[in-house]
Amino acid sequence: MVSEPSDHAREPAPLPLPDRPKRIRSERRFLAVFWPIAVPCAGVYVWLSLTSGMGLDSFVAGEATIIVALVFVFRSTRIRIARALLKPHGGFVCPRCHYTLSALPDAGECPECGTSYTREGVVALWERAYGLKQRFPRSSARHADPVGAVIPPAPTESVRRTPWTGASLRRVLEQIEAVARAHGYSDARFSAYSLDLERSPACFGVRYPADLYAFLSWVDPNLWSRFVNPSQCMAAAEQGEVGAWIAAQPADSIRVRDPSALRIARMSGPWLGVGTEGPGPDGPSEAITPAEVRLFEFADSSAGGSIMYCMDPTDVPAGGIVTFLPGVDGRVWLADTLAQWLARLAACDGTELAFDRGGSGRVSEGLRAQFREEFRLRNPHVVDEPDAFIPHSN
């Protein structure tokens, strides 16, 4: 049984805002092309001027024209790149890792890199770095989802702090590996899926969310099996590391899909009638309308449902983790962010309490009580049903 963390245990101190934002990927590509072209062009002009006997006045005027043109191209291109990244999110993008913060409170910690932020500070940092003046709001009400519903405050705001509250993705992945090694995993971690993610059917015309891409790039299937299913893996250990994983994977309570099985689910109305979006024989499938919500199916559970990442905000914030379970009408909201969901798995010894109906004995009653409180706040429609699928205590 896993004991509850001590009150004296502390998460690593959050990172402060950087002095300037990390360069945008498309800006780095632009600079890699711009400077190798601009500098030789200026040099060629100087060489031609000297060899052709051009007068000093003409040389200065021509050189000034070239410099002004290069500065204009440089500045306008950087501004256009910055606007393309920031405008869809009101300028509220983490300056350290470029995680989208628009669905999160105006102050907090980035769930991917752990940077402490305020909306005002983040927006001002971007505007100052790219000379955008005061273009984006310094505070905001909750954003409306595509259907027009207002996003409610995160349920965890009304309950006491838990071991999985405010976790950063980087720290959580370290915790998952530590738990897997405590379960008997001894090999070096191998990122088996990283090379195949860009060739996955799910990425056809769809950009991976940054935190989900980081997680899928990090996953080692053998390590993951040891993390969520230690007893089965240890029983099969005599077959060797590879054999243990092959034998144990079908029994894993949560199975992360390999890139070929990733899908974008498409939902509308009261989160019913799931369809699948992907490339067809004539190209991409029908475009998603504003009344539809995209859910990235990235894992499966032993309870019979897919585990999905919300790409569009509804009553669940963008980046939230949900699933569908047999006998439950509507979605089951598991966590507000991917990092929070993974942190809860790590705190609970690899157990997803929403699927652990009878109690596996690996999780303390204190952690179960904290989870049940959050679960009921997120899923009142599940708790109120007589045959609801809710986690029971030991």
Side-chain angles (χ1 to χ4, degrees):
M1 178 178 294
V2 176
S3 60
E4 292 186 75
S6 166
D7 292 338
H8 300 288
R10 302 291 184 187
E11 286 287 325
L15 299 172
L17 282 176
D19 294 332
R20 59 164 290 113
K22 177 183 176 182
R23 286 197 185 276
I24 304 169
R25 182 182 302 176
S26 51
E27 180 187 1
R28 294 199 299 268
R29 290 198 295 264
F30 161 69
L31 295 178
V33 174
F34 176 79
W35 291 118
I37 293 177
V39 173
C41 284
V44 168
Y45 175 78
V46 172
W47 180 77
L48 290 176
S49 300
L50 295 175
T51 56
S52 63
M54 182 183 297
L56 180 61
D57 293 343
S58 299
F59 171 77
V60 171
E63 190 70 16
T65 301
I66 291 176
I67 291 174
V68 170
L70 291 177
V71 169
F72 174 79
V73 171
F74 177 81
R75 177 175 170 76
S76 61
T77 303
R78 288 182 73 244
I79 290 176
R80 187 171 68 251
I81 290 171
R83 285 176 180 172
L85 172 69
L86 301 174
K87 188 175 180 180
H89 312 295
F92 202 22
V93 176
C94 178
R96 191 180 300 277
C97 67
H98 298 170
Y99 182 84
T100 300
L101 304 172
S102 54
L104 301 179
D106 284 357
E109 295 179 18
C110 174
E112 182 170 351
C113 68
T115 297
S116 178
Y117 69 82
T118 63
R119 177 185 283 268
E120 182 177 6
V122 168
V123 169
L125 187 64
W126 282 109
E127 290 175 344
R128 184 170 62 252
Y130 287 89
L132 299 177
K133 300 182 179 180
Q134 289 197 7
R135 178 174 299 272
F136 302 112
R138 262 49 178 178
S139 62
S140 71
R142 291 282 177 176
H143 294 270
D145 71 73
V147 185
V150 176
I151 302 172
T156 52
E157 294 174 3
S158 60
V159 299
R160 61 192 177 113
R161 184 176 178 86
T162 64
W164 48 86
T165 303
S168 68
L169 184 61
R170 179 177 57 184
R171 174 63 175 163
V172 168
L173 295 180
E174 293 173 355
Q175 293 172 347
I176 290 175
E177 184 165 351
V179 173
R181 294 193 182 282
H183 290 171
Y185 179 77
S186 58
D187 277 0
R189 181 177 59 82
F190 175 67
S191 302
Y193 298 157
S194 58
L195 297 179
D196 297 324
L197 283 175
E198 298 300 339
R199 295 193 292 269
S200 167
C203 74
F204 191 87
V206 178
R207 185 176 182 178
Y208 283 100
D211 54 344
L212 183 60
Y213 186 88
F215 170 62
L216 294 174
S217 299
W218 175 90
V219 164
D220 177 340
N222 191 8
L223 181 149
W224 184 263
S225 285
R226 289 295 181 104
F227 172 60
V228 298
N229 189 20
S231 58
Q232 188 77 7
C233 284
M234 291 176 183
E238 294 180 358
Q239 303 175 39
E241 290 294 323
V242 175
W245 167 57
I246 294 174
Q249 192 183 29
D252 289 349
S253 58
I254 299 171
R255 297 178 294 279
V256 178
R257 295 185 179 185
D258 68 78
S260 65
L262 298 174
R263 293 291 182 269
I264 303 292
R266 193 171 56 178
M267 314 194 71
S268 61
W271 292 61
L272 298 174
V274 181
T276 300
E277 178 189 272
D282 301 321
S285 59
E286 180 181 354
I288 294 177
T289 67
E292 293 175 323
V293 178
R294 296 169 302 170
L295 301 170
F296 205 117
E297 298 181 14
F298 69 96
D300 298 294
S301 74
S302 59
S306 299
I307 299 174
M308 294 174 279
Y309 180 107
C310 296
M311 300 182 69
D312 302 303
T314 57
D315 60 330
V316 176
I321 305 300
V322 300
T323 189
F324 288 84
L325 297 171
V328 176
D329 187 12
R331 58 104 185 103
V332 173
W333 183 357
L334 297 177
D336 300 338
T337 65
L338 176 65
Q340 185 186 80
W341 180 66
L342 293 172
R344 191 177 72 238
L345 291 181
C348 296
D349 202 42
T351 301
E352 173 49 80
L353 297 180
F355 309 146
D356 191 35
R357 303 178 80 174
S360 64
R362 290 162 52 193
V363 184
S364 70
E365 180 56 30
L367 290 178
R368 288 181 180 277
Q370 292 181 59
F371 171 75
R372 284 197 296 272
E373 185 178 2
E374 283 189 353
F375 187 89
R376 290 191 173 100
L377 285 169
R378 290 193 180 103
N379 303 285
H381 64 292
V382 177
V383 175
D384 292 340
E385 293 177 2
D387 297 325
F389 187 101
I390 63 173
H392 299 279
S393 61
N394 291 333

